[in-house]
Amino acid sequence: MQGKVEICGVNTAKLKVLKSEETMELLRRTKEGDAAARQKLIEGNLRLVLSVIQRFDRRGENADDLFQVGCIGLIKAIDNFNVDLNVKFSTYGVPMIIGEIRRYLRDNSSMRVSRSMRDTAYKVLQAKEQFMSQHQREPTVEEIAQILDVRREEIVFALEAITDPVSLYEPVYSDSGDTVCVMDQVKDSKNTDDSWLERIALKEAVARLPERERKILALRFFQGKTQMEVSVEVGISQAQVSRLEKGALEQIRKGM
């Protein structure tokens, strides 16, 4: 997508840019039914759509498809924008365009979500759009919960269920050419340097034990056998198994 000049037959290098005053004037004329003003408003905000779809650059989606879907979101934003509120059009339009693109990506996703969960999510999205149309801002989870009369947890679970998966290589920050990806910020509490050192030390400590003690520990802790079962297999008494097991564990502790 990056560097692509022509999208859907539109030369992005020649896209118009409207000033804030021009945008508001065209919005007022559009509300009065001026079709020419509406068309000019759409054409003058295509660069806004382009800037939004660049956020989805690394998803491998067709740029033309995303651009068309983004234009639908732009048109919805124009038709629902309230000119009486002191809000910039881009503040309202960008979330509408993003929402339309995300809806398209969800509908075409290979991941499957239950019907009830998806229905709840769509009700939430519809309530969100209606709220934004009236208040020109995004609602909180609590406000949506009150509108739909559902628990806050249901809304959170439904939205998370339809959230697009993020690649571990998705860049989250870039400065002077040094890009930080999602995987760089994910912590693995199991495979830390300390745990690797402990595993190596344990392996070396076990390797220093006599063969009979190693076999007893393997039967006891890897195969889950009782001391009586081990005694039968090794050919010694249960008391001897207990004594050798304790001695082996003590040697391992000292070795580590």
Side-chain angles (χ1 to χ4, degrees):
M1 192 183 301
Q2 276 189 334
K4 185 170 183 178
V5 176
E6 189 170 294
I7 299 180
C8 296
V10 177
N11 188 338
T12 59
K14 297 182 179 180
L15 288 177
K16 301 177 182 178
V17 179
L18 295 174
K19 295 181 179 179
S20 180
E21 297 79 8
E22 291 179 294
T23 299
M24 293 306 298
E25 178 59 28
L26 290 171
L27 283 166
R28 293 189 185 94
R29 288 167 52 189
T30 298
K31 292 299 179 182
E32 296 170 357
D34 190 333
R38 183 173 182 268
Q39 182 63 32
K40 188 175 181 180
L41 193 59
I42 294 171
E43 293 174 355
N45 281 279
L46 291 180
R47 190 174 292 278
L48 187 65
V49 177
L50 181 64
S51 67
V52 171
I53 68 173
Q54 287 175 346
R55 301 185 184 189
F56 302 87
D57 192 16
R58 294 179 178 271
R59 294 183 59 90
E61 297 289 338
N62 185 282
D64 291 351
D65 292 342
L66 292 185
F67 188 76
Q68 292 181 57
V69 175
C71 287
I72 294 174
L74 171 64
I75 293 171
K76 286 184 176 181
I78 291 172
D79 292 342
N80 292 300
F81 187 75
N82 189 340
V83 295
D84 296 326
L85 298 178
N86 187 26
V87 177
K88 288 182 62 177
F89 175 71
S90 59
T91 303
Y92 176 70
V94 169
M96 290 288 284
I97 297 170
I98 292 175
E100 197 67 31
I101 293 175
R102 284 179 173 169
R103 184 182 294 108
Y104 164 79
L105 294 174
R106 283 192 298 270
D107 291 342
N108 291 274
S109 173
S110 58
M111 297 182 65
R112 293 291 175 259
V113 180
S114 69
R115 171 73 62 112
S116 60
M117 189 76 75
R118 185 178 290 273
D119 288 345
T120 300
Y122 282 143
K123 288 178 182 178
V124 171
L125 294 176
Q126 289 173 357
K128 183 177 179 180
E129 286 189 10
Q130 292 174 1
F131 186 95
M132 289 177 64
S133 178
Q134 295 174 6
H135 303 279
Q136 309 295 294
R137 67 174 178 84
E138 292 197 44
T140 64
V141 175
E142 288 75 12
E143 288 172 329
I144 296 178
Q146 292 178 2
I147 294 172
L148 299 178
D149 192 25
V150 297
R151 292 184 305 138
R152 181 181 184 278
E153 291 78 8
E154 291 183 36
I155 294 175
V156 174
F157 291 151
L159 292 178
E160 286 184 349
I162 61 172
T163 299
D164 301 320
V166 179
S167 169
L168 287 174
Y169 297 96
E170 184 81 15
V172 294
Y173 178 76
S174 180
D175 183 26
S176 302
D178 296 327
T179 301
V180 177
C181 299
V182 173
M183 68 179 301
D184 298 323
Q185 297 186 327
V186 176
K187 180 180 179 181
D188 186 351
S189 58
K190 293 183 178 180
N191 296 309
T192 61
D193 291 340
D194 290 340
S195 66
W196 280 107
L197 291 174
E198 288 177 359
R199 292 180 188 179
I200 293 173
L202 176 60
K203 186 176 181 180
E204 292 178 349
V206 172
R208 289 194 292 267
L209 294 174
E211 183 179 353
R212 185 171 60 174
E213 278 81 342
R214 290 203 304 270
K215 184 175 182 180
I216 289 174
L217 294 182
L219 293 172
R220 287 279 290 129
F221 298 105
F222 289 96
Q223 297 185 26
K225 294 189 176 184
T226 65
Q227 288 185 348
M228 185 60 70
E229 291 172 331
V230 173
S231 69
V232 173
E233 185 163 339
V234 178
I236 58 177
S237 67
Q238 184 268 332
Q240 287 179 296
V241 170
S242 178
R243 179 175 55 80
L244 291 173
E245 178 185 316
K246 290 179 181 178
L249 293 176
E250 184 61 30
Q251 286 186 54
I252 291 174
R253 292 192 189 97
K254 291 180 179 179
M256 295 180 64

